[in-house]
Amino acid sequence: MSALVTVLASGDGAPLWILAAGPAGALGTYWAIYRYYRNTDKSHAFERDTLIEAQPVQGHEEKVDHISRTRDPDIDGDNSAKYRERVRRLR
Amino acid sequence: MTQDDQHSDAPAAEPRKPVFDGPPLSLEEELAAARAEPEAGPTIETINDSLADGVNRCPKCGSTDVQLRASTGMLVCLFCRHQWQEERVEEEFGLGVGIDELEGTVIASGAQEIAEGADDIVTLTCGGCGAEVVVDTAHAMNARCHWCRHTLNVNQRTPNGAVPDAVLPFKLTRDEAVEKIREFAGKRRLFAHPRFRKEFVPENVLGVYLPYLVVDARAEASYTGRGEVQTRRWTEKSGDNSVTYYAADVYQVDRSVSFTVDDLTMEGAADRAQFDSSTTNNIVNTILPFDTKNAVRWNSSYLVGFTSEKRDLDVADLSPKLEDQLLSIGRSQVHGSLDRFDRGVRWEGEKVDVGGSRWVSMYLPVWIYSYYQENTKMLHYIAVNARTGETMGSVPVSQWRLILAALTVGTFLEGIAGAILVGTA
Ligand SMILES: [Zn+2]
Ligand SMILES: [Zn+2]
């Protein structure tokens, strides 16, 4: 919370959106405590905590397109780290 | 003359006839073949022959007064004090070796389809909460439900689940578990529901063996998707604001990886296999992994003083879930090869070929303190891994205290924000 306060205090000519700090802080506090008590988000990390022996990763990539101008700093729908989010199954 | 004779008389030069060229089958034969059970895959025979008469005897004096001593993980004869343990299944049945050569689905005898058992191990349905609890009636005619502590009795028996192949004995003592639970709940006092705080008695912890299927598997997983590499980044002024723009190359990305997993542990009870935030099912899952390599051959003497739960999921039920978990593992394995795509990768298609899998059914030891929250009808519990001591739980919260705290923080931040606005206006 103190980090947030520092950020808020550092602005010169503070924008109106900082009024969202109250509701955001309230909601954040609620969820942080709730999670700490109920642990609904926890699960066994079998991707890491199982004995796995892998061969070297195979693969290739091919340039198919170019984006010359976008305001989007990253790809849409990046799921490369969301290991458990299933996508279309190939046969 | 039989067909065999004819065949042996045939000139040696004639090539052996392919199987499909034999005389046509009658419709009757075709139908019989279609109806026949699929040929069973290989089985690991884990049945404990020394228990053939259904009685567990001390190998030294023959007494049946045998139970587990948790501090050593050994069985102890209460008559002559002899201590021993069953062989580790890891060596006994060659588990853990040859995973990279597994073919098809290999199922240990205890992991086979769940059948009715006719021994002393019976399943009782709890009249309090409906859970199905397995009890060794040779040693106890009644027991308590480990979820709601309701006393069970034999009149509520239901057909039994399969006897497991292996059991991992309790290691953490009851006192150690009580200490873990007290510590876990102790850190969560302030916002705990007042009724929970009043009724919390960690000494009510119960030792329970939960059913799992432990899987070794060999698989190849493949992924296909799009990745982007940033080629340029610049800012443009538009009025008072400056806007950042990017240029990027888009790639078609394919990855595949072959791997083996050793002792992937999957929930064997349907009640707990479904995770979503409206239940506390994820809690027991979170205290995995267990040191399953130390599991020993099933012997019901390990059950004395504990309850256990019936396995109601078969290999067939869990195969789709195994594929999901293998896909997740494969994704984590290929993740390190995506570094050059600094704008990220979006997987769009994935595939897994399970070359082979080997399934063993196992009882794993957990200390459980449970608490049923009346007003929300939710079962909360704190579970302790009775091998590693890892502890996880769900503590009912006092909603109004939580809201009050949230509002206090919110009001405080809003006050600062307001002061900044006023100060810089
Ligand atoms: Zn003895
Ligand atoms: Zn119950």
Side-chain angles (χ1 to χ4, degrees):
Chain A
M1 202 205 314
S2 60
L4 181 58
V5 173
T6 324
V7 171
L8 288 175
S10 67
D12 50 319
L16 269 176
W17 60 255
I18 70 163
L19 284 178
L27 215 63
T29 306
Y30 181 93
W31 280 115
I33 301 176
Y34 185 83
R35 257 209 327 262
Y36 182 63
Y37 277 62
R38 297 271 284 99
N39 289 299
T40 46
D41 58 325
K42 303 288 191 305
S43 122
H44 165 45
F46 56 83
E47 297 94 341
R48 194 189 60 216
D49 291 338
T50 306
L51 295 171
I52 296 161
E53 263 183 60
Q55 303 294 312
V57 173
Q58 308 285 313
H60 74 284
E61 52 242 19
E62 195 182 314
K63 188 178 158 187
V64 290
D65 199 1
H66 180 76
I67 301 168
S68 55
R69 184 182 160 88
T70 174
R71 291 179 63 168
D72 199 344
D74 51 23
I75 195 169
D76 286 336
D78 187 340
N79 55 13
S80 58
K82 294 175 188 159
Y83 306 144
R84 297 189 191 176
E85 188 186 293
R86 295 277 72 87
V87 295
R88 188 169 55 90
R89 279 293 268 281
L90 308 168
R91 289 288 145 201
Chain B
M1 212 186 226
T2 67
Q3 257 185 317
D4 271 320
D5 291 330
Q6 276 175 0
H7 197 261
S8 58
D9 286 341
E14 196 179 275
R16 187 160 243 169
K17 284 187 175 170
V19 178
F20 290 118
D21 279 343
L25 288 171
S26 70
L27 181 62
E28 227 165 66
E29 286 171 306
E30 290 268 350
L31 284 175
R35 281 200 206 98
E37 290 284 302
E39 208 173 310
T43 307
I44 311 165
E45 202 48 71
T46 57
I47 290 164
N48 195 340
D49 293 327
S50 66
L51 304 180
D53 59 358
V55 184
N56 309 313
R57 290 198 170 84
C58 166
K60 207 165 174 189
C61 76
S63 162
T64 55
D65 215 355
V66 174
Q67 69 175 50
L68 170 72
R69 170 171 288 174
S71 54
T72 58
M74 311 262 275
L75 295 177
V76 58
C77 169
L78 298 181
F79 189 74
C80 74
R81 313 311 292 179
H82 175 59
Q83 291 195 38
W84 77 100
Q85 63 180 351
E86 292 290 345
E87 298 96 310
R88 298 207 320 172
V89 288
E90 182 76 5
E91 287 88 10
E92 171 99 351
F93 303 112
L95 309 178
V97 300
I99 301 175
D100 47 356
E101 283 153 22
L102 281 177
E103 292 282 353
T105 308
V106 182
I107 302 176
S109 51
Q112 277 164 357
E113 276 187 45
I114 297 153
E116 223 171 295
D119 46 25
D120 289 332
I121 310 297
V122 299
T123 304
L124 305 178
T125 305
C126 171
C129 72
E132 301 212 304
V133 175
V134 181
V135 179
D136 178 3
T137 51
H139 293 90
M141 281 314 279
N142 62 39
R144 274 163 182 265
C145 167
H146 42 265
W147 298 113
C148 70
R149 294 195 294 279
H150 186 85
T151 301
L152 306 164
N153 72 65
V154 261
N155 298 330
Q156 294 155 319
R157 78 180 278 178
T158 56
N160 197 24
V163 172
D165 298 301
V167 53
L168 187 61
F170 272 78
K171 193 167 169 190
L172 236 70
T173 64
R174 195 169 170 283
D175 287 345
E176 288 169 323
V178 168
E179 207 35 59
K180 295 273 183 195
I181 291 165
R182 191 189 300 286
E183 190 189 332
F184 184 92
K187 288 180 184 159
R188 291 164 180 79
R189 268 197 311 265
L190 192 55
F191 297 101
H193 197 277
R195 189 141 174 212
F196 174 83
R197 301 210 297 185
K198 206 170 79 206
E199 295 171 359
F200 178 65
V201 186
E203 286 74 15
N204 283 345
V205 64
L206 287 176
V208 49
Y209 285 106
L210 294 180
Y212 285 86
L213 286 172
V214 177
V215 190
D216 293 339
R218 175 173 73 85
E220 177 171 12
S222 319
Y223 308 89
T224 177
R226 291 290 161 110
E228 290 181 10
V229 179
Q230 181 180 305
T231 52
R232 217 180 126 217
R233 172 174 187 254
W234 70 98
T235 53
E236 289 176 13
K237 280 265 177 205
S238 74
D240 283 347
N241 297 323
S242 57
V243 180
T244 305
Y245 289 93
Y246 306 87
D249 285 341
V250 181
Y251 288 83
Q252 165 75 36
V253 185
D254 298 305
R255 290 287 184 272
S256 69
V257 62
S258 293
F259 59 93
T260 61
V261 288
D262 188 355
D263 284 9
L264 194 61
T265 304
M266 307 179 81
E267 319 270 348
D271 282 357
R272 278 178 300 105
Q274 230 37 268
F275 303 143
D276 73 68
S277 54
S278 68
T279 66
T280 50
N281 284 350
N282 67 312
I283 298 294
V284 165
N285 171 273
T286 305
I287 61 170
L288 266 52
F290 284 81
D291 53 334
T292 40
K293 297 276 167 235
N294 291 317
V296 297
R297 192 156 68 158
W298 165 253
N299 178 329
S300 68
S301 295
Y302 286 105
L303 213 76
V304 178
F306 304 106
T307 58
S308 57
E309 196 149 298
K310 193 176 78 164
R311 175 170 72 84
D312 55 6
L313 292 176
D314 281 334
V315 173
D317 300 319
L318 286 173
S319 290
K321 201 167 158 196
L322 173 67
E323 291 194 358
D324 274 3
Q325 296 203 355
L326 293 173
L327 280 168
S328 302
I329 288 170
R331 280 233 212 148
S332 81
Q333 292 295 322
V334 302
H335 188 254
S337 72
L338 305 174
D339 286 348
R340 68 171 294 205
F341 301 102
D342 51 5
R343 284 172 55 87
V345 171
R346 177 183 65 243
W347 293 126
E348 293 168 342
E350 60 189 351
K351 175 180 144 176
V352 63
D353 289 317
V354 183
S357 59
R358 177 167 57 202
W359 301 68
V360 174
S361 123
M362 205 179 275
Y363 266 174
L364 300 178
V366 181
W367 288 105
I368 287 178
Y369 172 80
S370 67
Y371 180 85
Y372 184 70
Q373 190 181 3
E374 297 278 349
N375 60 336
T376 58
K377 306 260 175 278
M378 187 175 264
L379 178 69
H380 294 271
Y381 55 89
I382 302 172
V384 182
N385 180 320
R387 300 289 298 189
T388 64
E390 187 170 344
T391 305
M392 185 44 72
S394 164
V395 171
V397 292
S398 157
Q399 288 291 351
W400 73 262
R401 272 181 199 235
L402 203 49
I403 289 170
L404 201 68
L407 287 179
T408 307
V409 172
T411 309
F412 174 72
L413 288 177
E414 197 68 3
I416 296 176
I420 293 170
L421 276 182
V422 171
T424 59

